[in-house]
Amino acid sequence: MREVAIVAYAQSPQVRQEKVLNEVEMLMPVIETALTEAAMTMEDIDFVCSGSCDYIAGGAFSFVGAVDALGATPSKMESHVEMDAAWALYESWLKIQAGEISSALIYGFGKSSVGDLPDVMSQQCDPYYLAPLWPDSISMAGLQASALLATGRYTERDFAEVVVDSRRKAKANPAAQLSGDVEVDALLTAPYIASPLRRHDCCPITDGVSVLIITDKSALPKAKMKPVYIRGIDHRMEAHQLGIRTLSESSSSTQALAQAKQQAGIEQFDIAELYAPFSPQTLILKDALGLDNQVAINPSGGPLAGHIMMSAGLDRFGMSFKTLQHGEAKTALAHATSGPCLQHNMIAILEAG
Amino acid sequence: MDIDLDPIEQFDAPIYHRYHATSSRAITPFLHAMKRGELLGHLSTATGKVLFPPLGACPESGQATQIPVILSDSGTVIGFTTVHLPIPGSKLVPPFTVANILLDGADQACSHLISECGINAVAIGMRVAAVWRSAEVWNNSLENIEYFKPTGEPLVDIDILQQQCLAKAEQRKEPVKGGQNA
Amino acid sequence: MSNHRVAICGVGQTERYKTKLSCSLAGLVREAALNALADAGCGWSDIDALIIGKAPDMFEGVVMPEAYLAEALGGVNKPVIRVHTAGSVGGSTAIVAANHIKSGLFKRVLTVAFEKQSESNAHWALSPSMPFRPHFNSGAGGMFAPVIREYMRRSDAPEDVGCQVAVKDRLHAINNPHAHLHLPDIDIDTVKNSPMLWEPTRFLESCPSSDGACAMVLAAESHADTSAHKPAWVHAMAMRSEPSFYPWREEVNPEASRACAKDLYAQAGITQPRKQLDMAEVYVPFSWFEPIWLESLGFAESGQGWRLTLEGATSRDQGGDIPWNCSGGVLSSNPIGASGMIRFAEAALQVRGMAEQRQVEGAKRALGHAYGGHSQFFAMWIVGSEKP
């Protein structure tokens, strides 16, 4: 396997509602920041790949306009996944493994504020049996949380503790939308929105964009910077129908981790950035991934502190990169998810170079 | 149990989503200008070209554009089609002619309707001018112009027009000071 | 470059690309996938990863449908990825799938592209009324009509070239049991007399609205021998994108198209595509795009593409030296998201000698081509009967 490094990451502020800028206007300065960080120009980038969702933007071909932010004249080798941009990263990583390219710029973007995200996501379900019932994403996560409580492994207090931890860590993340000191007991007095979930158990609606640059080791930018290597990466899908799955577990995360560990030859991680948009999912993932208390979970605050739908998975790579680059840890596990109730999971193992 | 049931081949499950779109940094001033009856484009300093309507980015360079340029409401047809079928969600009644019109002073053509001439009279290079709705109904919209109509001026050779525009753009271009394509 | 060769050892298509009310989306994609597996001589458990492609989700009204379709395609417990690059998506999905094999990390992958346009209104999805913009949008036909007119202006081509392409591809389609349209009685007059839709494009010069899926099993060299038939081999792949609109953008012969073809031919050692390729499956959704792409892809000099069409060079029925779209092409079947993959797959069938009634005898190297957006997204591959 070729050694692939993350060399730059930039993100817009994770705001509740971006009232002025459109996606392209948000994207241009962030691309520039990432390129500057890597001391690269667009000409140095062999391949560009993005992740976004038309139904979030409210129009077909929403990714097409984003090409305007690339200065793609002359044309560029470019592709798009209608998935979280973590999968755009995966596609780019594969292209490097295939020897087709040695550098890639990956971006994800979304303005969830313009629509009703939980309702929009209900239309990801089976269109004949499920979608006509409009099962919104919060209600589905509520089902999953109930299933977790029913196992007796965790209580609602544990959910609240995940939130307290996220908000506290997010104080150090200037891009976070939600941060601060909150008390478990106070959180537990909040009303349910889809029991056993309370508002704070759910990731906040967020507008934003993120950009990440990777290169083959042979093509590291000349900038004086510390690369972070992707030592292993894998992703796995589960069944769609919620009734078929054991919702209190995440078998595909376990499976992807095993594959990633095999590629990386690394067993232990200092930190883990988990894409758990609902607090109980953090606990499900911790168990599925065998993360003990030695592993710092979501030093950035994680998706509960800011959640750019379609980029939150890529952000887990970016946040891990930042932590490793600052020397605060040596190895990281980055996780991304897609589909209702953690249907599809990606695991990557990152190591500071 | 009766197994000779009629097949159900389709059922309706309408999907309605409500979106609250905001315009954008570039489009908002354009929409306000429309309400005043002004056509506001943007100059891209990276290419020296004038974009209309402005969308915020210069797609050639990937740079944001912000310098306003007020354009004339006459221009040249550089491409067109007459549409003979109804378009879902559109109030236009076929046949109607949609043209790519290069406003005088702009480098980027914008789409608008052509009327007050026979369908067969529309031609590439035809000179046209805006027909505005009455000022009382002006809104934040390019639809304040009802359509464009021929001016009767002679046809323009669009290959020559292109060369002239590109030469002017070259003069307006600013040396690159930095940015992603520096 | 990696040394991992990519074989196409299974191709599957839905029975016929016409409106298909008898099955669900899952049933549609599964039919193509099962056919591809049968051709490849393997089963679901032999597949390491699933690569799905389709055009905008609004064509069926299912948001990111790979989550729902994974089970029907044996994707559970496997890596699954969903590609969307507008009209070129069928081609770019095949390229993403091929990269899985080329990386050396996967032995066999299944790739499926589909569209079931009868489940929603594609014409509506293609003509969105966007906020803050007047609704002059009139679908793909309206977008491409001015480009066609500009080609006619520059090339001074006779007016019935488009009609000739429309007839030629429909006659080709008669030999393809999968084709949506079977119009054996079509002739120039029928096309000329069909209703004008987006001048200068007539009804019969436009692609239909189809339902269908196309699937391929791609394999590493070590796993390429399970099929009863010999595999095709990927000789070259390329993708390019450029913005939709910018001042004086070349829309008839876009830079991205030329750059993509140049990259592709360089990989395959091709300098004279008309001579060195035996056939091509090229994305021609509106008839005039045949001469447009003949020129852009280097099969003819600039301004001369229409002559090949009129001479019958692109017609298999007329024994042309470079048959284009023996399957009937996009003009005969257009399940949009699948259309690019059908081009790629038909090219593979030809070099495997498996194209039945539409076979170009002795085809050894073929081009598969797809484009999308405002003639701005391109995906191409060249496949051969021999290892590259």
Side-chain angles (χ1 to χ4, degrees):
Chain A
M1 254 173 39
R2 285 167 188 267
E3 290 189 86
V4 176
I6 302 173
V7 299
Y9 168 69
Q11 190 194 46
S12 68
Q14 306 180 87
V15 296
R16 175 63 181 76
Q17 187 184 11
E18 171 52 62
K19 287 185 179 159
V20 177
L21 305 181
N22 65 17
E23 287 87 342
V24 176
E25 288 170 336
M26 292 165 81
L27 200 47
M28 285 184 288
V30 181
I31 289 176
E32 187 150 337
T33 304
L35 285 169
T36 305
E37 185 181 322
M40 295 172 88
T41 69
M42 223 13 147
E43 284 82 65
D44 300 323
I45 301 292
D46 293 341
F47 178 58
V48 179
C49 200
S50 62
S52 69
C53 172
D54 282 349
Y55 269 93
I56 289 176
F61 302 107
S62 61
F63 72 94
V64 175
V67 174
D68 286 357
L70 305 177
T73 60
S75 55
K76 290 211 81 73
M77 192 192 293
E78 186 264 354
S79 191
H80 172 261
V81 293
E82 193 87 352
M83 302 182 81
D84 186 283
W87 276 267
L89 168 71
Y90 185 79
E91 181 181 332
S92 307
W93 177 84
L94 265 186
K95 245 184 162 59
I96 293 181
Q97 296 303 332
E100 297 232 315
I101 56 165
S102 15
S103 60
L105 181 143
I106 299 114
Y107 63 91
F109 62 92
K111 283 179 78 171
S112 299
S113 71
V114 301
D116 183 334
L117 186 63
D119 264 7
V120 166
M121 296 319 295
S122 75
Q123 299 306 298
Q124 188 178 24
C125 294
D126 177 322
Y128 310 103
Y129 292 126
L130 281 174
L133 306 174
W134 294 84
D136 67 88
S137 49
I138 298 177
S139 302
M140 287 191 283
L143 275 175
Q144 186 174 33
S146 296
L148 181 61
L149 289 180
T151 65
R153 272 151 53 205
Y154 296 103
T155 63
E156 291 178 31
R157 176 165 285 273
D158 298 312
F159 301 171
E161 274 170 6
V162 170
V163 178
V164 170
D165 187 53
S166 158
R167 299 277 174 91
R168 184 174 48 78
K169 286 171 173 160
K171 289 198 291 184
N173 176 3
Q177 186 185 137
L178 300 177
S179 62
D181 295 310
V182 287
E183 301 283 339
V184 170
D185 288 329
L187 291 180
L188 287 173
T189 63
Y192 292 124
I193 57 167
S195 69
L197 297 179
R198 299 173 167 89
R199 179 170 293 279
H200 56 251
D201 291 311
C202 309
C203 57
I205 295 292
T206 308
D207 291 351
V209 303
S210 313
V211 177
L212 187 132
I213 300 174
I214 60 173
T215 74
D216 187 83
K217 190 179 184 181
S218 65
L220 283 177
K222 291 178 192 84
K224 241 187 167 179
M225 51 84 68
K226 221 169 117 182
V228 167
Y229 288 95
I230 301 171
R231 296 298 187 201
I233 183 167
D234 192 74
H235 63 107
R236 299 284 156 167
M237 179 65 93
E238 288 181 48
H240 177 64
Q241 297 288 345
L242 300 185
I244 296 177
R245 285 152 56 188
T246 304
L247 291 178
S248 57
E249 295 169 9
S250 179
S251 61
S252 57
S253 298
T254 311
Q255 199 188 0
L257 176 67
Q259 296 292 326
K261 276 183 174 173
Q262 203 179 354
Q263 288 171 5
I266 294 173
E267 294 286 326
Q268 298 294 321
F269 321 102
D270 301 328
I271 64 160
E273 281 283 346
L274 306 179
Y275 181 3
F278 299 94
S279 64
Q281 294 176 342
T282 309
L283 304 168
I284 293 171
L285 288 167
K286 265 182 81 171
D287 290 351
L289 300 171
L291 303 176
D292 58 23
N293 292 332
Q294 301 297 307
V295 184
I297 307 291
N298 289 342
S300 69
L304 293 176
H307 172 253
I308 305 171
M309 186 72 193
M310 306 319 286
S311 197
L314 183 70
D315 287 331
R316 307 283 64 80
F317 285 80
M319 296 298 179
S320 301
F321 165 72
K322 289 287 180 200
T323 307
L324 297 189
Q325 218 187 18
H326 292 155
E328 291 156 30
K330 185 90 178 85
T331 53
L333 180 154
H335 161 263
T337 197
S338 182
C341 298
L342 302 174
Q343 186 188 344
H344 187 185
N345 293 286
M346 178 183 288
I347 302 287
I349 297 170
L350 311 180
E351 186 179 30
Chain B
M1 187 183 146
D2 183 7
I3 53 166
D4 279 334
L5 299 171
D6 288 337
I8 297 172
E9 293 193 322
Q10 267 190 321
F11 64 94
D12 286 337
I15 299 170
Y16 296 99
H17 291 294
R18 192 176 287 277
Y19 293 89
H20 302 271
T22 48
S23 54
S24 82
R25 183 170 58 199
I27 296 173
T28 302
F30 159 78
L31 294 174
H32 282 296
M34 283 311 306
K35 192 155 187 173
R36 298 191 299 269
E38 287 178 348
L39 301 171
L40 186 147
H42 269 180
L43 170 68
S44 165
T45 50
T47 62
K49 294 174 191 168
V50 175
L51 309 175
F52 180 85
L55 297 175
C58 163
E60 279 182 272
S61 64
Q63 303 287 326
T65 60
Q66 278 164 15
I67 300 172
V69 181
I70 300 294
L71 295 162
S72 148
D73 67 354
S74 58
T76 306
V77 171
I78 63 165
F80 67 96
T81 182
T82 299
V83 180
H84 290 264
L85 74 170
I87 302 304
S90 168
K91 53 184 183 288
L92 298 172
V93 180
F96 57 91
T97 301
V98 183
N100 295 326
I101 299 165
L102 190 73
L103 296 179
D104 297 338
D107 291 282
Q108 170 75 60
C110 80
S111 286
H112 218 299
L113 302 169
I114 303 281
S115 196
E116 283 193 40
C117 70
I119 285 168
N120 294 324
V122 185
I124 292 174
M126 189 167 81
R127 294 282 301 155
V128 291
V131 174
W132 293 80
R133 294 177 201 274
S134 72
E136 306 88 76
V137 300
W138 283 355
N139 208 333
N140 302 105
S141 168
L142 193 55
E143 287 181 273
N144 294 347
I145 294 175
E146 196 171 357
Y147 54 83
F148 282 75
K149 68 171 184 184
T151 62
E153 295 165 83
L155 285 186
V156 169
D157 182 323
I158 62 161
D159 295 324
I160 294 173
L161 178 64
Q162 176 176 1
Q163 287 162 19
Q164 290 166 342
C165 286
L166 289 174
K168 279 184 205 154
E170 201 56 37
Q171 288 168 6
R172 286 190 297 251
K173 204 163 145 180
E174 282 180 16
V176 181
K177 293 182 210 98
Q180 66 183 65
N181 286 330
Chain C
M1 298 296 277
S2 88
N3 300 319
H4 300 286
R5 294 189 174 104
V6 183
I8 302 121
C9 51
V11 169
Q13 306 188 52
T14 41
E15 189 185 359
R16 191 163 164 200
Y17 293 120
K18 59 180 184 182
T19 298
K20 192 154 178 155
L21 300 179
S22 60
C23 69
S24 63
L25 279 175
L28 186 83
V29 293
R30 192 173 166 88
E31 180 186 334
L34 283 168
N35 288 339
L37 289 171
D39 178 11
C42 50
W44 298 110
S45 60
D46 297 314
I47 298 297
D48 298 334
L50 173 63
I51 299 92
I52 300 178
K54 68 169 252 71
D57 293 354
M58 283 171 195
F59 283 173
E60 288 88 6
V62 187
V63 178
M64 299 186 274
E66 71 281 356
Y68 147 62
L69 292 173
E71 283 160 284
L73 291 170
V76 172
N77 296 331
K78 289 174 191 168
V80 178
I81 190 163
R82 151 79 191 293
V83 181
H84 173 18
T85 62
S88 67
V89 65
S92 43
T93 303
I95 289 175
V96 173
N99 279 331
H100 278 70
I101 302 296
K102 205 174 169 191
S103 73
L105 297 161
F106 296 85
K107 296 306 173 201
R108 235 187 248 108
V109 301
L110 174 67
T111 181
V112 186
F114 71 96
E115 212 71 74
K116 199 162 189 294
Q117 293 182 225
S118 63
E119 301 235 341
S120 174
N121 184 335
H123 199 45
W124 164 78
L126 282 167
S127 340
S129 171
M130 299 304 281
F132 317 118
R133 301 199 201 170
H135 192 187
F136 301 143
N137 207 318
S138 44
M143 184 168 73
F144 290 128
V147 177
I148 291 168
R149 197 185 293 279
E150 174 65 8
Y151 173 78
M152 293 163 86
R153 184 186 75 90
R154 289 188 200 174
S155 65
D156 222 4
E159 267 187 38
D160 61 355
V161 171
C163 299
Q164 294 272 10
V165 175
V167 171
K168 185 262 296 178
D169 279 359
R170 269 50 173 271
L171 293 178
H172 279 166
I174 298 167
N175 295 319
N176 180 4
H178 301 289
H180 179 172
L181 300 182
H182 285 156
L183 305 171
D185 301 325
I186 196 168
D187 61 16
I188 294 282
D189 285 338
T190 336
V191 180
K192 269 190 183 156
N193 295 331
S194 68
M196 190 57 88
L197 299 185
W198 305 275
E199 289 185 34
T201 309
R202 296 173 179 87
F203 176 69
L204 282 175
E205 292 180 280
S206 311
C207 51
S209 202
S210 311
D211 288 357
C214 179
M216 291 190 285
V217 174
L218 308 185
E221 202 172 349
S222 56
H223 289 63
D225 58 357
T226 48
S227 173
H229 304 273
K230 63 179 213 159
W233 297 92
V234 176
H235 287 208
M237 313 186 269
M239 284 172 73
R240 286 295 183 281
S241 307
E242 67 179 58
S244 316
F245 304 100
Y246 59 83
W248 304 109
R249 175 176 171 244
E250 174 50 56
E251 293 181 342
V252 177
N253 187 3
E255 188 275 334
S257 166
R258 284 174 278 141
C260 192
K262 190 178 170 193
D263 180 2
L264 185 81
Y265 294 155
Q267 293 172 40
I270 284 176
T271 50
Q272 294 176 291
R274 184 174 174 180
K275 283 211 174 82
Q276 291 169 282
L277 293 169
D278 298 307
M279 66 89 60
E281 282 283 338
V282 177
Y283 206 102
V284 176
F286 300 98
S287 60
W288 280 90
F289 274 86
E290 174 166 303
I292 287 173
W293 296 141
L294 276 165
E295 294 171 28
S296 187
L297 296 170
F299 289 76
E301 295 292 319
S302 178
Q304 305 298 314
W306 56 272
R307 293 184 193 275
L308 270 65
T309 299
L310 289 191
E311 288 161 11
T314 56
S315 164
R316 178 184 169 278
D317 296 338
Q318 293 179 46
D321 65 292
I322 182 66
W324 269 36
N325 296 325
C326 300
S327 64
V330 181
L331 282 172
S332 304
S333 318
N334 190 27
I336 297 180
S339 288
M341 190 170 287
I342 297 169
R343 308 279 75 70
F344 277 47
E346 284 285 335
L349 285 175
Q350 288 281 349
V351 299
R352 294 173 75 198
M354 292 176 66
E356 299 174 333
Q357 297 304 307
R358 55 196 188 281
Q359 180 70 44
V360 173
E361 209 164 321
K364 295 215 164 357
R365 275 214 286 192
L367 167 70
H369 165 280
Y371 85 99
H374 196 91
S375 291
Q376 66 186 119
F377 300 114
F378 294 87
M380 306 176 192
W381 80 3
I382 288 172
V383 288
S385 55
E386 306 303 321
K387 288 179 190 174

